[in-house]
Amino acid sequence: MADHSSGGTAAPLSARRPLNRGKVERTSVVLMGAAIPSLVCGPLAIAFSFGLGGGLAIVTSPVRTWWADARRVVTGFPGVLLLLAIAAWIPSIAQSVDTQRSVDAWSSTVAVVAAGVVVWAILVHRPHLHEGLAKALIVAALIAVGIALAALFIAPEIIAMVRFQGWMERDAGLALRKFANASALMVPALVWAGFRLGRKWVGMAIIAAGATAIMILATGARAPVAGLVGVLAFLSVAVALRLRRSLAVIALAASIVVVIVATSSYLVTHQRLHPDADFEPYVPVWMMDLHRQAIWDFTLRQVPDAPWFGHGINAINLIDGADYEIPGLGQVLPSHPHNWAIQVLGETGIVGAVPLYLFVGALIVSLMRQYLRTSHPAVLAAGCVTTGYWTSGLLNFSMWATWWQAAHISMLVLLLAVAAADARARGR
């Protein structure tokens, strides 16, 4: 009787184990797919969404299942360049004007990159979850963008509510700037997800992508518009090279003209005038905001003072003169240079900047070559995402902002994991 009772309890327990693991996997998929959409609730939300989702994936995957793939990515050409850049940033920590701040920024960047590589390697071996990833992205995007549009056009207090600040008045356009920038990266992934799933999902994805574009324009933010231009640039060049036909070349040239005209028109109608500013612009202010020109000018003038290793990671705004007030504009360097290419040069010097420049170029070229070789839609979307990220980053946030790095990496992880798994399934 005891043996029968024992056997009767053991079977249900063992039967529940795969079910419980399946639930954990599905939960991780929903969280990771909702990473960028979660930013509508604020920057900390992506740490919860992608961080917890990735953490659940890691704890349910033995190291032996993903180690070889993770090592292969790290030792590939773009991966080696990124490792070289990360190592080249270390000397700038030693001479930073704020060592602890530099250590924090460097270590958080390493953590985000490492987590992205591991999660990618895990997802490559879980193709049964890829459909769920695509669905989670579309549904979460529809919800998040719907909330953002409601805050922009109906009641700005809504954005305060979803951020647990109570029913209080907010400048919705300003509050949604970070979400708008990250959402520009989401657009190509949404289109990919819709066509991968097919049928009704295509329509939902197109609605989500269109609503995202409307939301971006409604915030008045210029950087995500630049991000979308980067997306279109990669898409146009990739398709033209893939087709290799005169018609494609004509279409590429036409699309470039349309993008230039549309972007210029947008910038002209949204230019920010500073009539009281005491700063002579280098380019017309409709083309580039006057305050950004002042910020970039100041940062570049600091490079000769520390040309090789810079002034310290995430610390250039703490050097002497950064708090100088320009009449009509404000501080000459209020928080960061608002341009990753200038920021890495000023903060890590030539030694730290050159490897990163090479990595960015190698990453974009490698994705272009991979798409031309495989014609995989996920690779095309990944190329659009990363080009949009680095283009938008020429105008917006600190390159050390963890939430911004996570938005980029979370999209690349999902798209490139699907592409790698499909390639393996086809034996390529």
Side-chain angles (χ1 to χ4, degrees):
M1 188 70 175
D3 289 343
H4 175 75
S5 175
S6 174
T9 57
L13 283 173
S14 64
R16 280 199 298 270
R17 287 193 190 108
L19 178 61
N20 289 340
R21 177 172 178 174
K23 286 182 177 179
V24 172
E25 288 183 344
R26 288 192 293 274
T27 301
S28 71
V29 160
V30 171
L31 289 169
M32 288 189 287
I36 285 184
S38 71
L39 277 167
V40 74
C41 297
L44 289 178
I46 197 170
F48 171 83
S49 186
F50 189 71
L52 180 57
L56 290 175
I58 292 171
V59 299
T60 56
S61 302
V63 174
R64 66 178 181 275
T65 63
W66 54 259
W67 177 255
D69 286 302
R71 184 176 59 186
R72 179 169 57 84
V73 169
V74 171
T75 55
F77 183 58
V80 168
L81 287 174
L82 181 56
L83 287 178
L84 180 61
I86 289 172
W89 296 336
I90 295 176
S92 70
I93 297 176
Q95 63 179 50
S96 173
V97 295
D98 190 330
T99 303
Q100 186 59 55
R101 186 173 181 177
S102 295
V103 169
D104 291 344
W106 183 88
S107 58
S108 65
T109 298
V110 172
V112 171
V113 171
V117 171
V118 173
V119 172
W120 170 85
I122 291 171
L123 290 178
V124 169
H125 295 277
R126 294 183 176 180
H128 61 287
L129 300 178
H130 294 171
E131 183 176 304
L133 282 169
K135 289 180 178 179
L137 173 63
I138 293 174
V139 173
L142 284 170
I143 295 171
V145 175
I147 291 171
L149 290 174
L152 287 165
F153 295 109
I154 300 175
E157 293 85 357
I158 291 174
I159 200 64
M161 284 292 294
V162 299
R163 296 182 179 182
F164 304 102
Q165 298 168 336
W167 189 261
M168 58 180 291
E169 189 171 349
R170 291 287 304 273
D171 183 336
L174 184 61
L176 288 167
R177 291 287 174 87
K178 292 179 179 179
F179 178 53
N181 276 269
S183 294
L185 311 182
M186 186 172 65
V187 169
L190 283 170
V191 176
W192 160 81
F195 282 96
R196 183 175 180 87
L197 295 172
R199 291 178 293 183
K200 64 179 181 181
W201 291 98
V202 176
M204 293 172 63
I206 291 175
I207 291 172
T212 300
I214 293 171
M215 182 269 296
I216 288 172
L217 295 176
T219 62
R222 295 152 66 100
V225 174
L228 291 176
V229 171
V231 167
L232 291 174
F234 187 93
L235 177 65
S236 300
V237 173
V239 172
L241 291 176
R242 181 70 185 171
L243 294 177
R244 295 180 182 177
R245 295 175 182 173
S246 58
L247 182 61
V249 175
I250 294 172
L252 173 60
S255 64
I256 291 174
V257 171
V258 169
V259 167
I260 291 174
V261 172
T263 304
S264 298
S265 300
Y266 177 82
L267 293 176
V268 168
T269 56
H270 289 76
Q271 63 178 310
R272 298 166 185 169
L273 301 177
H274 303 278
D276 300 325
D278 183 17
F279 181 78
E280 189 66 28
Y282 294 97
V283 298
V285 294
W286 67 265
M287 185 181 300
M288 182 56 56
D289 180 70
L290 187 62
H291 197 191
R292 276 186 175 81
Q293 293 190 54
I295 291 170
W296 295 352
D297 173 70
F298 174 81
T299 305
L300 290 173
R301 284 191 285 107
Q302 310 312 308
V303 172
D305 293 338
W308 297 110
F309 302 115
H311 295 274
I313 294 175
N314 201 30
I316 196 167
N317 64 307
L318 302 178
I319 64 176
D320 292 339
D323 57 351
Y324 170 74
E325 293 282 336
I326 300 178
L329 288 180
Q331 285 187 336
V332 70
L333 187 56
S335 53
H336 54 82
H338 292 76
N339 181 304
W340 67 266
I342 294 176
Q343 182 174 14
V344 72
L345 180 62
E347 294 185 342
T348 69
I350 296 172
V351 171
V354 171
L356 183 64
Y357 297 160
L358 293 175
F359 163 73
V360 173
L363 177 61
I364 294 173
V365 170
S366 67
L367 290 173
M368 180 70 75
R369 293 179 63 184
Q370 187 179 346
Y371 171 69
L372 296 178
R373 187 178 71 251
T374 66
S375 69
H376 198 294
V379 178
L380 177 61
C384 291
V385 167
T386 201
T387 306
Y389 172 79
W390 295 109
T391 304
S392 180
L394 293 172
L395 299 171
N396 59 14
F397 311 102
S398 169
M399 63 171 286
W400 311 109
T402 304
W403 69 269
W404 180 231
Q405 295 172 350
H408 176 219
I409 290 175
S410 67
M411 281 293 94
L412 286 187
V413 162
L414 305 189
L415 293 166
L416 294 180
V418 172
D422 288 353
R424 288 187 181 182
R426 290 192 292 264
R428 285 194 285 177

